[in-house]
């Protein structure tokens, strides 16, 4: 029995010794690779193969089925086996495409494979550094509460119409939507990346009005003919550093007859700015104290019983028999939300108002409150509404506005007289102080009427300058 056990143990030892010897003689090929350079249509890499008799590689788009090791070795491109690194260049590739390079090496008994993922670069048919340009603000162009800016750039001197001034020069038109600024005269695009699209949203550029232009003819210093390419998609990266100084990087696809192609344009510098907003007004630029000579107002009630509205005009202008402004002077308008009453109740008007709120459809309001000033479009014209300061010229037309966005109004009562004291701040951060004492009988109760008069506002059609409803792009924007 002892002899049998000893024999089995020795047999097992011989078997283990045999396995170790086989493993020691097994050689696995060694394969490594490094991407040296990637272009729009090529990939250059270094491949190192040792302990192998042969090697090959395949380069296929990443979406295609991966080849087997045998397919790589039999159908791939052969590699030299020199026990040192070798450079390989793979040509005729598509730009902006994901590829996988499959590499295999073999010896008499073993096969080794590795996969190298690579993406080719984006190519540009135009890569232009812009040197001149300007920026204009067009306000709420699409009436969707997005402020639009037109940026015109060129690689040479640019005209005031945004076109090149020399044959062969390029120009770029960008129509970019951002938040509506409080002060259009000091508007600027914010730092960020804007997506080119047709959606007309804040943070996008309007694809239809973004163009790349190449000039082919010039007359009187302005391009008169050339090629215009509209944008399909892409991004506009903007950095704003203040004082109308910007950096732009445009990476976009344009539409050609042969298909879509990439362009890249850059600009860094200061851009002259103008405010082309049709809702633009001449803003108050100094602190003032207004001394009124009269007060006119009316009361209405909300339909849901939440508040009563008092509209006041405090004025030192002449007025005509109908109560309209008839000459030079100043008018301060207040729209105050007081506690609700079925009919006008001056006692409920008395109090302190310092919550300034914006009037918007669907909003709810808690009195006491002041409706902020705004310059809005209605009945074919832009006009101030809410609470604001206005200065009139001799023709009875507004030539200066201050829209109130914060401040305080205090109203007290003594018998039939009320005293209104206002200390308001405009959008441009200018202070307007006002104080007036007068009879409350000058306030008319319209709580039972659906159509109060517009006391002391302009008569219809009295504006001297026609303002278009909306510009159209049926023709080129600048031509």
């Amino acid at each position: 029995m002892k002899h049998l056990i000893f024999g089995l143990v020795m047999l097992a030892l011989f078997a283990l010794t045999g396995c170790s010897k086989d493993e020691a003689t097994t050689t696995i090929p060694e394969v490594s690779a490094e991407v040296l350079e990637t272009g729009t249509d090529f990939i250059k890499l270094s491949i190192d193969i040792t302990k192998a008799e042969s090697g090959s590689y395949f380069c296929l788009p990443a979406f295609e089925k991966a080849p087997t090791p045998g397919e790589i070795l039999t159908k791939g491109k052969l590699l030299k086996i020199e026990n040192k690194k070798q450079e390989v260049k793979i040509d005729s590739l598509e730009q902006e495409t994901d590829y996988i390079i499959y590499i295999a090496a073999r010896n008499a008994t073993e096969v080794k494979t590795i996969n190298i993922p690579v993406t080719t670069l984006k190519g540009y048919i135009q890569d232009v550094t812009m040197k001149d340009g300007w920026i204009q603000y067009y306000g709420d162009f699409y009436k969707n509460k997005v402020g639009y800016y037109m940026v015109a750039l060129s690689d040479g001197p640019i005209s005031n119409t945004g076109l090149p001034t020399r044959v062969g020069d390029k120009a770029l038109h960008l129509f970019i939507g951002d938040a509506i600024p409080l002060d259009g005269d000091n508007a600027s695009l914010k730092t960020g990346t804007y997506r080119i699209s047709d959606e007309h949203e804040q943070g996008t550029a309007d694809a239809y009005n973004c163009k790349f232009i190449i000039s082919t003819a010039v007359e009187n210093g302005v391009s008169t003919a050339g090629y215009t390419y509209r944008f399909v998609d892409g991004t506009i990266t903007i950095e704003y550093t203040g004082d109308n100084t910007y950096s732009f990087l445009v990476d976009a696809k344009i539409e050609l007859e042969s298909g879509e192609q990439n362009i890249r344009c850059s600009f860094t510098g200061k851009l002259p700015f103008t405010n082309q907003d049709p809702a633009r007004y001449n803003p108050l630029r100094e602190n003032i104290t207004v001394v009124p000579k009269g007060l006119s107002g009316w009361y209405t009630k909300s339909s849901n019983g939440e508040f009563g509205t008092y509209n006041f005009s405090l004025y030192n202008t002449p007025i005509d028999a109908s109560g309209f402004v008839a000459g030079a002077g100043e008018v301060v308008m207040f729209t105050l939300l007081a506690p609700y009453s079925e009919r006008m109740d001056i006692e409920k008007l008395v109090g302190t108002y310092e919550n300034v709120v914006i009037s918007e459809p669907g909003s709810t309001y808690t009195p006491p409150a002041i409706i902020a000033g705004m310059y809005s479009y209605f009945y074919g014209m832009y006009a101030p509404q809410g609470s604001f300061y206005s200065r009139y010229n001799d023709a009875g037309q507004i030539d200066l506005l201050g829209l109130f966005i914060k401040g305080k109004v205090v109203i007290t009562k003594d018998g039939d007289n009320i005293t209104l004291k206002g200390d308001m701040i405009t959008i441009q951060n200018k202070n307007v102080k006002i104080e007036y004492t007068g009879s409350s009988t000058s306030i008319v109760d319209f709580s039972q009427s659906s159509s109060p008069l517009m006391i002391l506002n302009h008569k219809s059609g009295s504006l001297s300058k026609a303002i278009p409803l909306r510009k159209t792009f049926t023709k080129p924007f600048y031509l």
Side-chain angles (χ1 to χ4, degrees):
M1 186 64 160
K2 290 182 181 179
H3 292 294
L4 176 61
I5 293 173
F6 178 77
L8 291 173
V9 170
M10 292 303 294
L11 182 62
L13 287 174
F14 281 125
L16 289 173
T17 304
C19 288
S20 297
K21 185 175 181 180
D22 288 344
E23 289 178 357
T25 58
T26 299
T27 301
I28 299 175
E30 295 180 1
V31 183
S32 63
E34 177 187 4
V35 176
L36 301 177
E37 185 179 357
T38 303
T40 58
D41 61 352
F42 74 90
I43 299 168
K44 185 183 292 185
L45 66 160
S46 171
I47 300 175
D48 189 11
I49 296 177
T50 58
K51 302 177 183 179
E53 298 175 0
S54 65
S56 300
Y57 69 91
F58 245 129
C59 181
L60 295 175
F63 63 83
E64 292 192 15
K65 182 181 177 181
T68 64
E71 289 173 332
I72 299 172
L73 289 166
T74 59
K75 297 180 181 180
K77 293 189 176 181
L78 292 175
L79 292 165
K80 297 178 181 179
I81 307 300
E82 299 176 337
N83 292 329
K84 65 179 183 180
K85 292 181 180 180
Q86 54 188 299
E87 288 190 5
V88 172
K89 184 177 181 182
I90 305 171
D91 293 305
S92 303
L93 303 178
E94 296 292 330
Q95 64 174 332
E96 281 188 282
T97 302
D98 295 329
Y99 288 93
I100 297 179
I101 302 169
Y102 302 91
I103 305 172
R106 60 171 294 279
N107 56 26
T109 60
E110 302 292 333
V111 176
K112 174 72 173 180
T113 63
I114 62 171
N115 302 336
I116 308 295
V118 188
T119 301
T120 51
L121 300 180
K122 179 187 289 188
Y124 300 95
I125 61 167
Q126 293 283 343
D127 195 347
V128 186
T129 300
M130 301 299 184
K131 299 176 182 178
D132 194 13
W134 46 254
I135 183 169
Q136 296 176 341
Y137 177 62
Y138 274 83
D140 189 1
F141 188 82
Y142 287 109
K143 302 296 183 286
N144 61 346
K145 297 184 178 180
V146 178
Y148 272 89
Y149 297 76
M150 178 59 77
V151 180
L153 302 171
S154 178
D155 60 347
I158 196 168
S159 70
N160 58 10
T161 59
L163 295 172
T165 58
R166 303 181 306 196
V167 172
D169 279 1
K170 290 90 177 176
L172 196 65
H173 295 172
L174 308 173
F175 202 46
I176 303 172
D178 202 350
I180 295 178
L182 286 176
D183 183 3
D185 284 345
N186 292 291
S188 61
L189 283 164
K190 294 193 296 292
T191 294
T193 298
Y194 297 77
R195 180 172 50 88
I196 298 167
S197 88
D198 295 314
E199 295 174 2
H200 300 162
E201 296 176 348
Q202 183 176 322
T204 66
D206 181 16
Y208 181 76
N209 293 302
C210 291
K211 294 177 287 188
F212 182 74
I213 297 169
I214 302 175
S215 172
T216 59
V218 170
E219 291 182 13
N220 299 320
V222 180
S223 179
T224 56
Y227 299 99
T228 298
Y229 304 97
R230 295 202 180 278
F231 284 30
V232 178
D233 62 25
T235 59
I236 302 169
T237 302
I238 299 174
E239 182 181 1
Y240 180 65
T241 56
D243 194 28
N244 293 325
T245 301
Y246 293 87
S247 289
F248 286 85
L249 179 61
V250 180
D251 194 327
K253 280 186 169 62
I254 59 174
E255 188 175 13
L256 280 70
E257 291 182 1
S258 59
E260 297 176 1
Q261 294 288 347
N262 298 314
I263 65 166
R264 182 168 59 189
C265 301
S266 60
F267 172 85
T268 298
K270 189 170 183 177
L271 293 175
F273 171 81
T274 55
N275 184 1
Q276 299 290 340
D277 187 357
R280 183 188 181 278
Y281 59 88
N282 189 27
L284 177 68
R285 298 290 185 185
E286 60 180 348
N287 300 326
I288 60 169
T289 298
V290 180
V291 181
K293 295 181 180 179
L295 177 147
S296 175
W298 67 90
Y299 171 78
T300 58
K301 62 184 179 181
S302 64
S303 59
N304 57 12
E306 291 184 350
F307 53 84
T309 302
Y310 287 86
N311 288 280
F312 292 111
S313 298
L314 297 106
Y315 59 92
N316 55 34
T317 62
I319 59 173
D320 62 19
S322 300
F324 289 93
V325 173
E330 299 168 301
V331 176
V332 176
M333 292 287 297
F334 284 108
T335 299
L336 306 179
L337 305 184
Y340 178 84
S341 59
E342 187 64 25
R343 292 182 179 273
M344 184 174 70
D345 184 351
I346 296 299
E347 294 292 343
K348 290 191 174 182
L349 169 64
V350 172
T352 299
Y353 299 75
E354 50 189 342
N355 179 27
V356 182
V357 297
I358 297 173
S359 176
E360 292 182 317
S363 297
T364 57
Y365 308 100
T366 302
I370 305 169
I371 297 296
M374 51 194 160
Y375 199 58
S376 303
Y377 181 82
F378 65 104
Y379 296 112
M381 68 180 74
Y382 281 89
Q385 299 179 67
S387 304
F388 58 89
Y389 164 87
S390 55
R391 188 185 72 184
Y392 287 76
N393 58 25
D394 291 336
Q397 299 167 337
I398 295 176
D399 66 4
L400 201 65
L401 270 179
L403 304 179
F404 299 150
I405 58 170
K406 57 185 176 180
K408 181 168 71 172
V409 173
V410 178
I411 296 178
T412 56
K413 179 177 178 292
D414 183 9
D416 286 338
N417 287 339
I418 62 169
T419 296
L420 184 150
K421 294 181 179 179
D423 189 353
M424 304 303 295
I425 300 297
T426 70
I427 288 174
Q428 289 75 25
N429 201 35
K430 299 305 175 184
N431 181 236
V432 177
K433 293 182 183 295
I434 186 170
E435 181 173 347
Y436 179 79
T437 298
S439 175
S440 61
T441 59
S442 60
I443 306 172
V444 182
D445 185 2
F446 280 108
S447 61
Q448 309 306 307
S449 172
S450 60
S451 301
L453 297 175
M454 297 295 289
I455 300 174
L456 282 174
N457 276 346
H458 275 307
K459 294 178 180 178
S460 177
S462 63
L463 293 179
S464 61
K465 184 177 180 180
I467 301 174
L469 297 179
R470 182 180 181 277
K471 285 184 171 65
T472 175
F473 287 109
T474 55
K475 293 183 179 180
F477 194 79
Y478 289 102
L479 302 179

